[in-house]
Amino acid sequence: MSGRHPPLTTHRRLGRGAVLRRGLSASYRAVEMGEGEPHLIRDELGAAGAASARGPGRALLCLVHITDLQLADVQSPARFEFLNARLADPRYADIVPVQRPQEALTVHAVDATIRTLDAVRGPATGLPLQLAVTTGDAIDNAQWNELQAFLALFDGGPVSPDSGGPDYEGVQGLDWPGDIFWRPDGAGPGGPDFFRREYGFPHHPGLLQRALREFSATGLGLPWLSCFGNHEALNQGVGIQTPGLAAALSGDRKPAGLPEDFDHDGALKLFTTHPEAFMAGPSRRVTPDPSREPISRRDFVDAHFRAGSRPFGHGFAEPNRQDGTAYYAYDTLAVRFIALDTNCLAGGAAGCLDREQARWLEARLGEVHSAHRGPDGSEVRTGHDDRLVVLFSHHGTGTLDNTRGAHEGPGGEPLLGAAALLDLLHRFPNVVLWLNGHTHTNTVRPHRDPVSPQHGFWEVTTCAIVDWPCQTRVVEILDHGEYLSIVTTMVDHDTPPVPVSLESTDDLASLHRELAANVPWAAATLAGTASDRNVELRVIPPFPLERLSAG
């Protein structure tokens, strides 16, 4: 680490710079520093007094939002990376990409991120981070060894990215068939791979061996809350966990292509309901590994109850362990955090919310409102004390449209879509912020209450660590009296913009970011616009904020 002030993007911002190599389709560029990006004021919710802030405001909370790490077992027999060859086929649009050139290095990018965050202070409050909120897809393929790597990175301990045998047995090896994958060791039997030929990707012999070495993580030095995402629940975030898939995960055959008679028109349906069918084509023998066994939602929750974890269970509580659920409430002095489980175990990457969870959510919201609007529009007085509410989940309003298993919940009740969930949330004015991920794109949206337009909340979606720009987001909440201010600031991990020796974990994290910046299908849009990054989001206070304690 540099030892300098942590790299907030208000000070300087990273972007694609000088051309390092030229490919046939595009050039491979370095990552370079540019000017910082100031905070933009957003007042679409019509906060009173927003024209002029008087003083710095009273700090209520300073946290960091971390999402979509997608830590992958890059040698897993049940990852179907060969589907990347179908990237231009619209029939595979909801499945690919399955593999990224930088993914073997993601564990080092996450480690560098965690070490950076321990030194970050909020630019608006001056406070150190008090809490980290994660919003799912910490792992990639719902595997036990991926989950263990995630928890070791965040809680501290030995991290073992390797799996299977002593040698690398994955799609980036020189002997793997096809040319669709970046081969850092050099040209394969058929010559340069697609990424080196078309996009000028670099040559780094021995990189995979260095990337997969075991190392010790210091862990995140502050309390952190967990969240269940579709990649924790499903094969590649899409396919249900079938017995055939479970057997394949710990088996000794890794598929290398589709059967010749494969029905491409039915690919998404088959991938969703019978993912093991994608193992019926040509395959390669690999070393089996029992640590690759699939995990259930209950397994995911149970694994968080580790000695020394802060808080114990990382938000999950005993009712979650008993009921097999993954939604919960967590309270600080000023804010109630409510974690939702928006994943559909019937398959598909998009999210959903069942009626039982919606009833639970309504009850937890009512507990921190002195008054709210009832389903019939009447005022409901509760006698409870008011507290601000921050919602967090993996999916947001744009991706809560999964209808698979729509009548498979308790009592066969239909699922809630985004519109119905928004209607519920608007009845509770103390909801001021909803944090989520899933899209890998920075986005900030206002949601004004259509019935009571003086109220509303902000939905903040943060980009992924696995993909460019590989950032996290600091979120500060301040009381300005006439309005509530939510200040968000993007943070880079504190590693050199240009990797040097590739021997240190910092250099491996730096190369991860450089590769991610040059991936042709993603890098251009995922950072969002300036109004989606460093912003001050203003809200009319839903109640007199002097009632709240800070912290």
Side-chain angles (χ1 to χ4, degrees):
M1 308 297 279
S2 71
R4 301 184 300 270
H5 189 284
L8 301 180
T9 55
T10 49
H11 301 148
R12 93 290 184 273
R13 189 161 174 260
L14 298 176
R16 298 180 74 212
V19 172
L20 299 179
R21 284 168 301 280
R22 298 186 186 279
L24 295 177
S25 298
S27 296
Y28 185 94
R29 296 179 178 271
V31 172
E32 295 180 354
M33 289 188 185
E35 293 185 1
E37 194 167 65
H39 290 101
L40 299 178
I41 294 175
R42 293 191 57 174
D43 188 30
E44 291 97 310
L45 297 179
S52 60
R54 293 194 293 272
R58 181 172 67 109
L60 297 176
L61 193 66
C62 180
L63 62 89
V64 62
H65 180 205
I66 307 169
T67 194
D68 293 271
L69 323 178
Q70 286 192 219
L71 295 163
D73 174 0
V74 296
Q75 300 169 88
S76 171
R79 292 182 77 231
F80 311 130
E81 299 101 332
F82 56 84
L83 294 177
N84 274 16
R86 304 278 173 180
L87 198 66
D89 188 334
R91 294 171 295 184
Y92 287 83
D94 292 326
I95 303 174
V96 295
V98 178
Q99 195 270 349
R100 297 166 169 80
Q102 71 272 19
E103 65 183 20
L105 303 169
T106 303
V107 66
H108 299 283
V110 173
D111 181 57
T113 295
I114 288 171
R115 289 182 285 119
T116 296
L117 293 175
D118 281 336
V120 165
R121 300 182 76 89
T125 62
L127 293 175
L129 298 174
Q130 298 162 310
L131 183 70
V133 172
T134 69
T135 52
D137 282 9
I139 61 178
D140 185 69
N141 202 39
Q143 294 181 206
W144 180 253
N145 58 338
E146 294 174 342
L147 177 57
Q148 293 307 297
F150 161 56
L151 293 173
L153 283 164
F154 273 66
D155 281 344
V159 181
S160 302
D162 201 3
S163 68
D167 299 320
Y168 174 77
E169 300 175 315
V171 299
Q172 290 184 272
L174 292 180
D175 62 343
W176 199 265
D179 71 346
I180 193 62
F181 312 109
W182 175 53
R183 294 185 168 109
D185 283 313
D193 61 77
F194 171 79
F195 284 91
R196 295 184 69 199
R197 182 179 68 246
E198 298 296 324
Y199 296 97
F201 269 55
H203 180 213
H204 291 305
L207 176 67
L208 294 170
Q209 287 70 27
R210 291 193 292 274
L212 297 178
R213 289 175 188 158
E214 182 174 292
F215 66 95
S216 182
T218 57
L220 189 60
L222 64 147
W224 61 274
L225 303 179
S226 195
C227 187
F228 192 59
N230 58 294
H231 278 264
E232 277 88 28
L234 304 165
N235 174 258
Q236 296 292 265
V238 177
I240 62 174
Q241 294 188 21
T242 64
L245 180 69
L249 270 172
S250 55
D252 66 352
R253 303 299 301 186
K254 181 170 176 62
L258 291 170
E260 289 187 5
D261 59 349
F262 191 80
D263 176 15
H264 299 291
D265 291 333
L268 179 58
K269 182 178 180 181
L270 192 62
F271 196 94
T272 304
T273 58
H274 295 285
E276 72 277 9
F278 285 74
M279 303 195 71
S283 65
R284 302 285 294 271
R285 187 171 295 279
V286 296
T287 305
D289 188 337
S291 74
R292 291 168 171 155
E293 65 180 348
I295 60 169
S296 66
R297 181 165 55 193
R298 190 184 296 273
D299 294 331
F300 180 79
V301 170
D302 281 345
H304 285 74
F305 290 81
R306 294 156 51 108
S309 59
R310 286 199 305 148
F312 188 57
H314 295 297
F316 298 120
E318 280 302 319
N320 298 120
R321 303 180 82 175
Q322 295 166 12
D323 303 337
T325 57
Y327 47 86
Y328 60 87
Y330 177 84
D331 289 321
T332 67
L333 291 175
V335 175
R336 164 161 285 189
F337 290 87
I338 297 180
L340 297 181
D341 174 7
T342 56
N343 302 286
C344 183
L345 300 187
C352 64
L353 200 77
D354 63 56
R355 297 281 169 171
E356 182 176 1
Q357 186 176 174
R359 286 189 287 270
W360 173 91
L361 171 61
E362 185 171 6
R364 301 293 80 74
L365 290 170
E367 292 168 351
V368 288
H369 282 76
S370 60
H372 62 83
R373 196 164 65 238
D376 61 357
S378 62
E379 183 182 52
V380 177
R381 293 203 166 271
T382 68
H384 298 307
D385 292 334
D386 284 302
R387 187 176 296 183
L388 296 175
V389 177
V390 173
L391 201 70
F392 65 105
S393 62
H394 184 61
H395 300 86
T397 54
T399 52
L400 280 174
D401 55 1
N402 195 329
T403 59
R404 293 191 57 81
H407 297 283
E408 296 176 7
E413 297 173 291
L415 302 171
L416 256 72
L421 181 55
L422 283 173
D423 287 344
L424 171 60
L425 295 175
H426 282 315
R427 290 171 40 213
F428 295 88
N430 295 356
V431 177
V432 294
L433 178 64
W434 182 358
L435 299 172
N436 53 58
H438 187 65
T439 63
H440 295 209
T441 305
N442 286 321
T443 313
V444 176
R445 303 178 185 89
H447 292 291
R448 187 188 289 270
D449 181 0
V451 176
S452 182
Q454 73 273 25
H455 295 301
F457 66 89
W458 291 92
E459 181 180 359
V460 174
T461 305
T462 297
C463 63
I465 290 182
V466 67
D467 286 323
W468 175 262
C470 312
Q471 295 171 329
T472 54
R473 187 191 297 263
V474 171
V475 178
E476 301 167 273
I477 302 178
L478 301 96
D479 169 19
H480 287 283
E482 295 173 319
Y483 63 92
L484 182 73
S485 180
I486 302 168
V487 179
T488 85
T489 311
M490 306 310 300
V491 184
D492 297 304
H493 52 72
D494 190 11
T495 61
V498 179
V500 183
S501 69
L502 298 184
E503 289 297 329
S504 72
T505 192
D506 276 4
D507 279 322
L508 294 174
S510 176
L511 178 60
H512 174 276
R513 182 169 53 203
E514 180 183 284
L515 294 168
N518 284 279
V519 170
W521 62 75
T525 60
L526 297 180
T529 68
S531 61
D532 298 309
R533 295 188 292 259
N534 296 346
V535 288
E536 180 185 347
L537 311 172
R538 295 182 172 178
V539 187
I540 296 173
F543 57 87
L545 296 177
E546 61 266 19
R547 302 177 190 169
L548 293 177
S549 300

PDB file of all heavy atoms in Angstrom, residues 504-520:
ATOM      1  N   SER A 504       3.870  -8.888  -5.709  1.00  0.00           N
ATOM      2  CA  SER A 504       3.116  -8.527  -4.510  1.00  0.00           C
ATOM      3  C   SER A 504       1.623  -8.589  -4.791  1.00  0.00           C
ATOM      4  O   SER A 504       1.177  -8.490  -5.942  1.00  0.00           O
ATOM      5  CB  SER A 504       3.487  -7.118  -4.050  1.00  0.00           C
ATOM      6  OG  SER A 504       2.944  -6.145  -4.930  1.00  0.00           O
ATOM      7  N   THR A 505       0.835  -8.738  -3.719  1.00  0.00           N
ATOM      8  CA  THR A 505      -0.617  -8.756  -3.891  1.00  0.00           C
ATOM      9  C   THR A 505      -1.119  -7.409  -4.384  1.00  0.00           C
ATOM     10  O   THR A 505      -2.121  -7.335  -5.102  1.00  0.00           O
ATOM     11  CB  THR A 505      -1.324  -9.186  -2.585  1.00  0.00           C
ATOM     12  OG1 THR A 505      -2.704  -9.454  -2.854  1.00  0.00           O
ATOM     13  CG2 THR A 505      -1.206  -8.136  -1.503  1.00  0.00           C
ATOM     14  N   ASP A 506      -0.418  -6.305  -4.024  1.00  0.00           N
ATOM     15  CA  ASP A 506      -0.818  -4.994  -4.537  1.00  0.00           C
ATOM     16  C   ASP A 506      -0.677  -4.930  -6.051  1.00  0.00           C
ATOM     17  O   ASP A 506      -1.542  -4.383  -6.748  1.00  0.00           O
ATOM     18  CB  ASP A 506       0.033  -3.891  -3.902  1.00  0.00           C
ATOM     19  CG  ASP A 506      -0.490  -3.448  -2.553  1.00  0.00           C
ATOM     20  OD1 ASP A 506      -1.467  -4.053  -2.070  1.00  0.00           O
ATOM     21  OD2 ASP A 506       0.073  -2.496  -1.984  1.00  0.00           O
ATOM     22  N   ASP A 507       0.436  -5.476  -6.586  1.00  0.00           N
ATOM     23  CA  ASP A 507       0.617  -5.454  -8.037  1.00  0.00           C
ATOM     24  C   ASP A 507      -0.396  -6.349  -8.738  1.00  0.00           C
ATOM     25  O   ASP A 507      -0.875  -6.031  -9.827  1.00  0.00           O
ATOM     26  CB  ASP A 507       2.037  -5.890  -8.390  1.00  0.00           C
ATOM     27  CG  ASP A 507       3.052  -4.764  -8.227  1.00  0.00           C
ATOM     28  OD1 ASP A 507       2.712  -3.618  -8.557  1.00  0.00           O
ATOM     29  OD2 ASP A 507       4.171  -5.036  -7.767  1.00  0.00           O
ATOM     30  N   LEU A 508      -0.743  -7.471  -8.115  1.00  0.00           N
ATOM     31  CA  LEU A 508      -1.767  -8.341  -8.709  1.00  0.00           C
ATOM     32  C   LEU A 508      -3.125  -7.649  -8.716  1.00  0.00           C
ATOM     33  O   LEU A 508      -3.885  -7.773  -9.685  1.00  0.00           O
ATOM     34  CB  LEU A 508      -1.835  -9.657  -7.937  1.00  0.00           C
ATOM     35  CG  LEU A 508      -0.585 -10.546  -8.028  1.00  0.00           C
ATOM     36  CD1 LEU A 508      -0.726 -11.751  -7.112  1.00  0.00           C
ATOM     37  CD2 LEU A 508      -0.321 -10.989  -9.455  1.00  0.00           C
ATOM     38  N   ALA A 509      -3.426  -6.894  -7.652  1.00  0.00           N
ATOM     39  CA  ALA A 509      -4.673  -6.127  -7.622  1.00  0.00           C
ATOM     40  C   ALA A 509      -4.663  -5.029  -8.675  1.00  0.00           C
ATOM     41  O   ALA A 509      -5.677  -4.750  -9.322  1.00  0.00           O
ATOM     42  CB  ALA A 509      -4.877  -5.527  -6.235  1.00  0.00           C
ATOM     43  N   SER A 510      -3.501  -4.400  -8.844  1.00  0.00           N
ATOM     44  CA  SER A 510      -3.378  -3.348  -9.855  1.00  0.00           C
ATOM     45  C   SER A 510      -3.581  -3.907 -11.259  1.00  0.00           C
ATOM     46  O   SER A 510      -4.267  -3.302 -12.100  1.00  0.00           O
ATOM     47  CB  SER A 510      -1.996  -2.695  -9.735  1.00  0.00           C
ATOM     48  OG  SER A 510      -1.800  -1.738 -10.746  1.00  0.00           O
ATOM     49  N   LEU A 511      -2.996  -5.078 -11.532  1.00  0.00           N
ATOM     50  CA  LEU A 511      -3.190  -5.695 -12.849  1.00  0.00           C
ATOM     51  C   LEU A 511      -4.652  -6.092 -13.040  1.00  0.00           C
ATOM     52  O   LEU A 511      -5.194  -5.949 -14.147  1.00  0.00           O
ATOM     53  CB  LEU A 511      -2.283  -6.921 -12.989  1.00  0.00           C
ATOM     54  CG  LEU A 511      -2.421  -7.677 -14.312  1.00  0.00           C
ATOM     55  CD1 LEU A 511      -2.085  -6.778 -15.507  1.00  0.00           C
ATOM     56  CD2 LEU A 511      -1.545  -8.929 -14.315  1.00  0.00           C
ATOM     57  N   HIS A 512      -5.315  -6.574 -11.992  1.00  0.00           N
ATOM     58  CA  HIS A 512      -6.743  -6.887 -12.083  1.00  0.00           C
ATOM     59  C   HIS A 512      -7.517  -5.689 -12.597  1.00  0.00           C
ATOM     60  O   HIS A 512      -8.349  -5.802 -13.509  1.00  0.00           O
ATOM     61  CB  HIS A 512      -7.252  -7.306 -10.704  1.00  0.00           C
ATOM     62  CG  HIS A 512      -8.742  -7.510 -10.629  1.00  0.00           C
ATOM     63  ND1 HIS A 512      -9.633  -6.462 -10.431  1.00  0.00           N
ATOM     64  CD2 HIS A 512      -9.507  -8.634 -10.722  1.00  0.00           C
ATOM     65  CE1 HIS A 512     -10.863  -6.938 -10.419  1.00  0.00           C
ATOM     66  NE2 HIS A 512     -10.820  -8.229 -10.580  1.00  0.00           N
ATOM     67  N   ARG A 513      -7.248  -4.517 -12.027  1.00  0.00           N
ATOM     68  CA  ARG A 513      -7.963  -3.301 -12.430  1.00  0.00           C
ATOM     69  C   ARG A 513      -7.617  -2.926 -13.863  1.00  0.00           C
ATOM     70  O   ARG A 513      -8.499  -2.519 -14.645  1.00  0.00           O
ATOM     71  CB  ARG A 513      -7.601  -2.165 -11.468  1.00  0.00           C
ATOM     72  CG  ARG A 513      -8.302  -0.860 -11.746  1.00  0.00           C
ATOM     73  CD  ARG A 513      -8.083   0.117 -10.595  1.00  0.00           C
ATOM     74  NE  ARG A 513      -6.673   0.289 -10.289  1.00  0.00           N
ATOM     75  CZ  ARG A 513      -6.198   0.711  -9.104  1.00  0.00           C
ATOM     76  NH1 ARG A 513      -7.043   0.993  -8.120  1.00  0.00           N
ATOM     77  NH2 ARG A 513      -4.912   0.851  -8.899  1.00  0.00           N
ATOM     78  N   GLU A 514      -6.352  -3.054 -14.252  1.00  0.00           N
ATOM     79  CA  GLU A 514      -5.947  -2.717 -15.620  1.00  0.00           C
ATOM     80  C   GLU A 514      -6.623  -3.637 -16.632  1.00  0.00           C
ATOM     81  O   GLU A 514      -7.123  -3.178 -17.674  1.00  0.00           O
ATOM     82  CB  GLU A 514      -4.426  -2.830 -15.735  1.00  0.00           C
ATOM     83  CG  GLU A 514      -3.891  -2.509 -17.126  1.00  0.00           C
ATOM     84  CD  GLU A 514      -2.390  -2.713 -17.181  1.00  0.00           C
ATOM     85  OE1 GLU A 514      -1.653  -1.849 -16.662  1.00  0.00           O
ATOM     86  OE2 GLU A 514      -1.938  -3.743 -17.738  1.00  0.00           O
ATOM     87  N   LEU A 515      -6.653  -4.926 -16.341  1.00  0.00           N
ATOM     88  CA  LEU A 515      -7.332  -5.859 -17.238  1.00  0.00           C
ATOM     89  C   LEU A 515      -8.820  -5.542 -17.333  1.00  0.00           C
ATOM     90  O   LEU A 515      -9.405  -5.535 -18.425  1.00  0.00           O
ATOM     91  CB  LEU A 515      -7.133  -7.290 -16.745  1.00  0.00           C
ATOM     92  CG  LEU A 515      -5.702  -7.846 -16.773  1.00  0.00           C
ATOM     93  CD1 LEU A 515      -5.638  -9.151 -15.988  1.00  0.00           C
ATOM     94  CD2 LEU A 515      -5.219  -8.050 -18.202  1.00  0.00           C
ATOM     95  N   ALA A 516      -9.439  -5.267 -16.177  1.00  0.00           N
ATOM     96  CA  ALA A 516     -10.873  -4.953 -16.160  1.00  0.00           C
ATOM     97  C   ALA A 516     -11.176  -3.714 -16.983  1.00  0.00           C
ATOM     98  O   ALA A 516     -12.228  -3.620 -17.632  1.00  0.00           O
ATOM     99  CB  ALA A 516     -11.352  -4.771 -14.726  1.00  0.00           C
ATOM    100  N   ALA A 517     -10.257  -2.746 -16.971  1.00  0.00           N
ATOM    101  CA  ALA A 517     -10.460  -1.511 -17.744  1.00  0.00           C
ATOM    102  C   ALA A 517     -10.418  -1.762 -19.243  1.00  0.00           C
ATOM    103  O   ALA A 517     -10.909  -0.939 -20.023  1.00  0.00           O
ATOM    104  CB  ALA A 517      -9.391  -0.481 -17.368  1.00  0.00           C
ATOM    105  N   ASN A 518      -9.844  -2.887 -19.651  1.00  0.00           N
ATOM    106  CA  ASN A 518      -9.689  -3.170 -21.079  1.00  0.00           C
ATOM    107  C   ASN A 518     -10.600  -4.274 -21.597  1.00  0.00           C
ATOM    108  O   ASN A 518     -10.539  -4.604 -22.783  1.00  0.00           O
ATOM    109  CB  ASN A 518      -8.223  -3.534 -21.356  1.00  0.00           C
ATOM    110  CG  ASN A 518      -7.316  -2.316 -21.358  1.00  0.00           C
ATOM    111  OD1 ASN A 518      -7.218  -1.595 -22.337  1.00  0.00           O
ATOM    112  ND2 ASN A 518      -6.657  -2.088 -20.232  1.00  0.00           N
ATOM    113  N   VAL A 519     -11.452  -4.828 -20.727  1.00  0.00           N
ATOM    114  CA  VAL A 519     -12.399  -5.845 -21.192  1.00  0.00           C
ATOM    115  C   VAL A 519     -13.366  -5.191 -22.177  1.00  0.00           C
ATOM    116  O   VAL A 519     -14.019  -4.199 -21.841  1.00  0.00           O
ATOM    117  CB  VAL A 519     -13.151  -6.468 -20.005  1.00  0.00           C
ATOM    118  CG1 VAL A 519     -14.292  -7.339 -20.496  1.00  0.00           C
ATOM    119  CG2 VAL A 519     -12.191  -7.299 -19.154  1.00  0.00           C
ATOM    120  N   PRO A 520     -13.498  -5.704 -23.381  1.00  0.00           N
ATOM    121  CA  PRO A 520     -14.247  -4.980 -24.420  1.00  0.00           C
ATOM    122  C   PRO A 520     -15.741  -4.852 -24.169  1.00  0.00           C
ATOM    123  O   PRO A 520     -16.357  -3.886 -24.617  1.00  0.00           O
ATOM    124  CB  PRO A 520     -13.974  -5.798 -25.686  1.00  0.00           C
ATOM    125  CG  PRO A 520     -13.591  -7.162 -25.187  1.00  0.00           C
ATOM    126  CD  PRO A 520     -12.870  -6.930 -23.902  1.00  0.00           C
TER     127      PRO A 520
END
